[in-house]
Amino acid sequence: MTPTTYDNVTVNGDGITLPLLIWRRFKRPVPGVIEATLDANPGLAALGPVLPIGTNLRIPIPTPEAEKRPAERISLW
């Protein structure tokens, strides 16, 4: 198991949501980072969809091996 590194972030604007914060950090969709961020920051989900200004949180940075995994495809029919 590889150690996880984190990026410490502070919310500094109005109307910032967790998906927007992650998009601004990585500039692309990164599967599983929202869920991992919620796991790494207990109580973050209780703050609501819009994060209050001054909220400090840790965003996990995925390892290169984790990013190379193919996404699971789901067929609806």
Side-chain angles (χ1 to χ4, degrees), residues 31 69-75:
R69 281 185 292 173
E72 181 180 331
R73 292 191 175 219
I74 298 173
S75 176

PDB file of all heavy atoms in Angstrom, residues 31 69-75:
ATOM      1  N   PRO A  31     -11.783  10.543 -10.598  1.00  0.00           N
ATOM      2  CA  PRO A  31     -12.748   9.676  -9.922  1.00  0.00           C
ATOM      3  C   PRO A  31     -12.301   9.297  -8.509  1.00  0.00           C
ATOM      4  O   PRO A  31     -11.144   8.964  -8.271  1.00  0.00           O
ATOM      5  CB  PRO A  31     -12.803   8.437 -10.816  1.00  0.00           C
ATOM      6  CG  PRO A  31     -12.269   8.872 -12.126  1.00  0.00           C
ATOM      7  CD  PRO A  31     -11.303   9.979 -11.851  1.00  0.00           C
ATOM      8  N   ARG A  69      -5.801   3.110 -13.318  1.00  0.00           N
ATOM      9  CA  ARG A  69      -6.842   2.088 -13.348  1.00  0.00           C
ATOM     10  C   ARG A  69      -7.946   2.505 -14.296  1.00  0.00           C
ATOM     11  O   ARG A  69      -8.402   3.642 -14.273  1.00  0.00           O
ATOM     12  CB  ARG A  69      -7.453   1.900 -11.953  1.00  0.00           C
ATOM     13  CG  ARG A  69      -6.602   1.067 -11.054  1.00  0.00           C
ATOM     14  CD  ARG A  69      -7.328   0.833  -9.779  1.00  0.00           C
ATOM     15  NE  ARG A  69      -7.415   2.143  -9.099  1.00  0.00           N
ATOM     16  CZ  ARG A  69      -8.089   2.379  -8.011  1.00  0.00           C
ATOM     17  NH1 ARG A  69      -8.761   1.440  -7.453  1.00  0.00           N
ATOM     18  NH2 ARG A  69      -8.097   3.579  -7.467  1.00  0.00           N
ATOM     19  N   PRO A  70      -8.421   1.578 -15.126  1.00  0.00           N
ATOM     20  CA  PRO A  70      -9.503   1.927 -16.026  1.00  0.00           C
ATOM     21  C   PRO A  70     -10.817   2.118 -15.240  1.00  0.00           C
ATOM     22  O   PRO A  70     -11.045   1.444 -14.235  1.00  0.00           O
ATOM     23  CB  PRO A  70      -9.610   0.726 -16.968  1.00  0.00           C
ATOM     24  CG  PRO A  70      -8.994  -0.402 -16.222  1.00  0.00           C
ATOM     25  CD  PRO A  70      -7.957   0.207 -15.314  1.00  0.00           C
ATOM     26  N   ALA A  71     -11.619   3.039 -15.694  1.00  0.00           N
ATOM     27  CA  ALA A  71     -12.909   3.276 -15.052  1.00  0.00           C
ATOM     28  C   ALA A  71     -13.847   2.127 -15.339  1.00  0.00           C
ATOM     29  O   ALA A  71     -13.845   1.550 -16.436  1.00  0.00           O
ATOM     30  CB  ALA A  71     -13.506   4.592 -15.551  1.00  0.00           C
ATOM     31  N   GLU A  72     -14.651   1.768 -14.352  1.00  0.00           N
ATOM     32  CA  GLU A  72     -15.615   0.683 -14.529  1.00  0.00           C
ATOM     33  C   GLU A  72     -16.770   1.190 -15.393  1.00  0.00           C
ATOM     34  O   GLU A  72     -17.304   2.266 -15.166  1.00  0.00           O
ATOM     35  CB  GLU A  72     -16.146   0.250 -13.172  1.00  0.00           C
ATOM     36  CG  GLU A  72     -17.127  -0.881 -13.248  1.00  0.00           C
ATOM     37  CD  GLU A  72     -17.626  -1.276 -11.888  1.00  0.00           C
ATOM     38  OE1 GLU A  72     -16.888  -1.102 -10.904  1.00  0.00           O
ATOM     39  OE2 GLU A  72     -18.763  -1.756 -11.815  1.00  0.00           O
ATOM     40  N   ARG A  73     -17.131   0.406 -16.392  1.00  0.00           N
ATOM     41  CA  ARG A  73     -18.226   0.806 -17.270  1.00  0.00           C
ATOM     42  C   ARG A  73     -19.512   0.138 -16.815  1.00  0.00           C
ATOM     43  O   ARG A  73     -19.510  -1.018 -16.441  1.00  0.00           O
ATOM     44  CB  ARG A  73     -17.933   0.422 -18.708  1.00  0.00           C
ATOM     45  CG  ARG A  73     -16.806   1.230 -19.269  1.00  0.00           C
ATOM     46  CD  ARG A  73     -16.685   1.040 -20.725  1.00  0.00           C
ATOM     47  NE  ARG A  73     -15.662   1.942 -21.203  1.00  0.00           N
ATOM     48  CZ  ARG A  73     -15.767   2.583 -22.326  1.00  0.00           C
ATOM     49  NH1 ARG A  73     -16.798   2.431 -23.083  1.00  0.00           N
ATOM     50  NH2 ARG A  73     -14.808   3.406 -22.698  1.00  0.00           N
ATOM     51  N   ILE A  74     -20.580   0.895 -16.879  1.00  0.00           N
ATOM     52  CA  ILE A  74     -21.894   0.385 -16.481  1.00  0.00           C
ATOM     53  C   ILE A  74     -22.813   0.482 -17.679  1.00  0.00           C
ATOM     54  O   ILE A  74     -22.897   1.531 -18.331  1.00  0.00           O
ATOM     55  CB  ILE A  74     -22.444   1.214 -15.309  1.00  0.00           C
ATOM     56  CG1 ILE A  74     -21.532   1.095 -14.111  1.00  0.00           C
ATOM     57  CG2 ILE A  74     -23.853   0.761 -14.955  1.00  0.00           C
ATOM     58  CD1 ILE A  74     -21.901   2.006 -12.974  1.00  0.00           C
ATOM     59  N   SER A  75     -23.512  -0.609 -17.957  1.00  0.00           N
ATOM     60  CA  SER A  75     -24.471  -0.617 -19.054  1.00  0.00           C
ATOM     61  C   SER A  75     -25.888  -0.607 -18.472  1.00  0.00           C
ATOM     62  O   SER A  75     -26.195  -1.361 -17.559  1.00  0.00           O
ATOM     63  CB  SER A  75     -24.277  -1.884 -19.901  1.00  0.00           C
ATOM     64  OG  SER A  75     -25.267  -1.923 -20.915  1.00  0.00           O
TER      65      SER A  75
END
